[in-house]
Amino acid sequence: MNQIIIQNNQIVLRALDKYLLKDNRFSRFYLQKQKFSKARAFRKQSDYLNNLIKTIMATTKRSFEAKVIEVKNLSTGKYLRYVNMNNGEEGIVPEWCITSFVVLPNECIDSDGHVVVGTILKLREMEDGKIYPSTSYQHRANPLQKPSVPAKAKKMSKESLYEDAQLYQSVSLDELWNMFADKLRKNELTVDAILLAMDVKSKSSEKEQSAYLGTLLGVNSVDLGKQENLHREFKSSFMHSANPLRSERSFQNQQIFKEIVAFGNSHEMGDVYVGVGNDGTIRGVEDELLNEAPFENRADFQADFMNQLSQAIDNYLFVSQIKMIWYKTVEGKLFCRISIPKWEGGIILLNGCELYVRGDAGKKQLKNADLINYVLTCYQEKVA
């Protein structure tokens, strides 16, 4: 049993070495885990590190140069057929596995960003057999997402678009407290409700106060405000990114997922409003859902969004607590409120290795020393 614990310690230490962050804290910290008498308990406490460790410890089996001899257009995307310049062996690799991670020289790609036939690529084969570009290329700070497979054209019905959408009401926190005071003057509240409301007002955040008063008074309101803050994030679209070079839905989904993960790791309640501009103006998503979303109804669109979120985060307990609430204005504009509850669990990773947190200035991705320090802090709190 102790042998298993020591082996796990060594794996984690080797992973940290990959980051080139030599620090005696790591050795002392992980060697202390030998005091645990049950290897099962140790493994359970470090489960959320597994994906991170696998990513860090990925090693190259061999490096080689390959000449692209054909670009194949398949139903699942573009594939590069190549010949190994060292041994003459042929192989095939999805184009996105190359272009999504590195910036290739201009002479290697055409005007649409696709690899040109005849290009000599520097590739590396991993231990699991996957092919990736050489580390000698300039790596993208944020890898591009895998292109989505074209779906059969479908058109969403307008009836399903607004189905169960709630009429948008904007009620500020001050207005809710005024409504509370009015009911208090009319003796329409119980003593318990009054005492709890006073406790909420003195100890809770504005968002938690609004949620409590809304439930107590039977008011389902949304306070969009005029700007983003610690608890509120605006996204203008489900389908289109602010990045003019990346407009596909899968890329924009990832931008929304990052915000959700950041709220979870910051252990704060939060809302992501989709269909609302950065200035708090309701722009609506009704046109893009009707004309661009490949689904026959909004329920299918929502189910697909939540399924992609679940796959990207791989934490059922966290994802199952997230709610999507739809609102419509009297003018017919539709927007969605993605509500993230306060998360009390472990670290949430996006795509197995990306760690985001949130502050007053918005989300932030933690890397290198910041990532390790955050993981160590959370890990020590769970063990304590």
Side-chain angles (χ1 to χ4, degrees), residues 312-329:
I313 293 179
D314 195 24
N315 187 318
Y316 174 77
L317 184 59
F318 175 66
V319 174
S320 65
Q321 298 179 39
I322 296 171
K323 306 298 181 187
M324 294 180 70
I325 307 167
W326 298 84
Y327 296 89
K328 61 181 178 181
T329 67

Side-chain angles (χ1 to χ4, degrees), residues 61-129:
K61 182 179 178 181
R62 61 171 176 163
S63 298
F64 61 95
E65 290 189 342
K67 182 177 182 179
V68 178
I69 57 177
E70 183 184 5
V71 177
K72 306 183 71 172
N73 290 299
L74 304 180
S75 59
T76 53
K78 289 183 178 291
Y79 282 74
L80 306 178
R81 190 163 70 91
Y82 63 84
V83 59
N84 189 319
M85 302 291 286
N86 298 335
N87 56 24
E89 293 180 354
E90 291 190 7
I92 189 168
V93 61
E95 185 187 51
W96 72 270
C97 285
I98 309 299
T99 56
S100 292
F101 297 101
V102 300
V103 179
L104 294 177
N106 291 335
E107 61 269 19
C108 297
I109 57 176
D110 60 22
S111 58
D112 294 325
H114 297 297
V115 177
V116 176
V117 173
T119 296
I120 306 296
L121 296 175
K122 296 178 181 179
L123 304 178
R124 55 195 177 104
E125 180 181 352
M126 312 306 290
E127 288 183 336
D128 58 4

Side-chain angles (χ1 to χ4, degrees), residues 59-333:
T59 57
T60 301
K61 182 179 178 181
R62 61 171 176 163
S63 298
F64 61 95
E65 290 189 342
K67 182 177 182 179
V68 178
I69 57 177
E70 183 184 5
V71 177
K72 306 183 71 172
N73 290 299
L74 304 180
S75 59
T76 53
K78 289 183 178 291
Y79 282 74
L80 306 178
R81 190 163 70 91
Y82 63 84
V83 59
N84 189 319
M85 302 291 286
N86 298 335
N87 56 24
E89 293 180 354
E90 291 190 7
I92 189 168
V93 61
E95 185 187 51
W96 72 270
C97 285
I98 309 299
T99 56
S100 292
F101 297 101
V102 300
V103 179
L104 294 177
N106 291 335
E107 61 269 19
C108 297
I109 57 176
D110 60 22
S111 58
D112 294 325
H114 297 297
V115 177
V116 176
V117 173
T119 296
I120 306 296
L121 296 175
K122 296 178 181 179
L123 304 178
R124 55 195 177 104
E125 180 181 352
M126 312 306 290
E127 288 183 336
D128 58 4
K130 294 181 179 179
I131 303 296
Y132 290 112
S134 168
T135 55
S136 62
Y137 290 118
Q138 177 187 346
H139 275 247
R140 299 184 186 275
N142 295 302
L144 305 180
Q145 299 302 312
K146 179 179 178 181
S148 57
V149 178
K152 182 180 178 181
K154 295 180 181 179
K155 190 172 179 65
M156 188 178 297
S157 67
K158 198 166 185 177
E159 292 75 18
S160 73
L161 180 69
Y162 294 102
E163 186 176 2
D164 298 328
Q166 302 176 24
L167 184 63
Y168 168 60
Q169 300 180 73
S170 179
V171 182
S172 68
L173 181 59
D174 288 338
E175 289 174 320
L176 287 172
W177 279 116
N178 289 336
M179 294 170 65
F180 174 86
D182 184 59
K183 283 187 172 290
L184 186 61
R185 285 191 296 269
K186 296 178 180 179
N187 293 320
E188 296 179 357
L189 298 172
T190 65
V191 175
D192 290 340
I194 297 171
L195 293 176
L196 182 55
M198 294 301 100
D199 187 59
V200 168
K201 186 172 185 179
S202 62
K203 298 179 181 179
S204 302
S205 66
E206 291 186 358
K207 180 175 178 60
E208 291 170 327
Q209 292 180 49
S210 295
Y212 172 76
L213 290 174
T215 302
L216 177 65
L217 302 172
V219 177
N220 189 359
S221 66
V222 179
D223 182 14
L224 290 178
K226 294 299 180 183
Q227 61 184 8
E228 299 167 333
N229 58 27
L230 180 64
H231 301 282
R232 182 169 56 229
E233 176 70 25
F234 297 146
K235 294 292 181 185
S236 60
S237 171
F238 274 113
M239 311 291 290
H240 303 285
S241 167
N243 183 343
L245 299 179
R246 302 305 303 268
S247 61
E248 69 268 18
R249 182 167 59 94
S250 61
F251 180 81
Q252 179 64 358
N253 277 350
Q254 286 289 317
Q255 308 314 303
I256 299 172
F257 296 166
K258 291 174 184 179
E259 306 293 348
I260 294 173
V261 169
F263 278 121
N265 286 325
S266 299
H267 308 291
E268 296 283 353
M269 295 176 62
D271 292 308
V272 179
Y273 293 96
V274 185
V276 179
N278 288 334
D279 58 357
T281 302
I282 299 175
R283 299 182 179 181
V285 295
E286 64 283 351
D287 288 339
E288 64 183 45
L289 292 185
L290 284 173
N291 300 316
E292 301 177 53
F295 300 94
E296 295 178 346
N297 55 70
R298 200 193 70 215
D300 288 347
F301 171 84
Q302 178 171 322
D304 179 76
F305 179 89
M306 293 302 295
N307 181 56
Q308 290 193 42
L309 175 63
S310 181
Q311 292 180 22
I313 293 179
D314 195 24
N315 187 318
Y316 174 77
L317 184 59
F318 175 66
V319 174
S320 65
Q321 298 179 39
I322 296 171
K323 306 298 181 187
M324 294 180 70
I325 307 167
W326 298 84
Y327 296 89
K328 61 181 178 181
T329 67
V330 292
E331 297 84 11
K333 290 190 175 296

Side-chain angles (χ1 to χ4, degrees), residues 254 257-258 261 309 312-313 348-356:
Q254 286 289 317
F257 296 166
K258 291 174 184 179
V261 169
L309 175 63
I313 293 179
I348 304 295
L349 295 175
L350 180 64
N351 301 321
C353 59
E354 299 172 35
L355 178 58
Y356 296 88

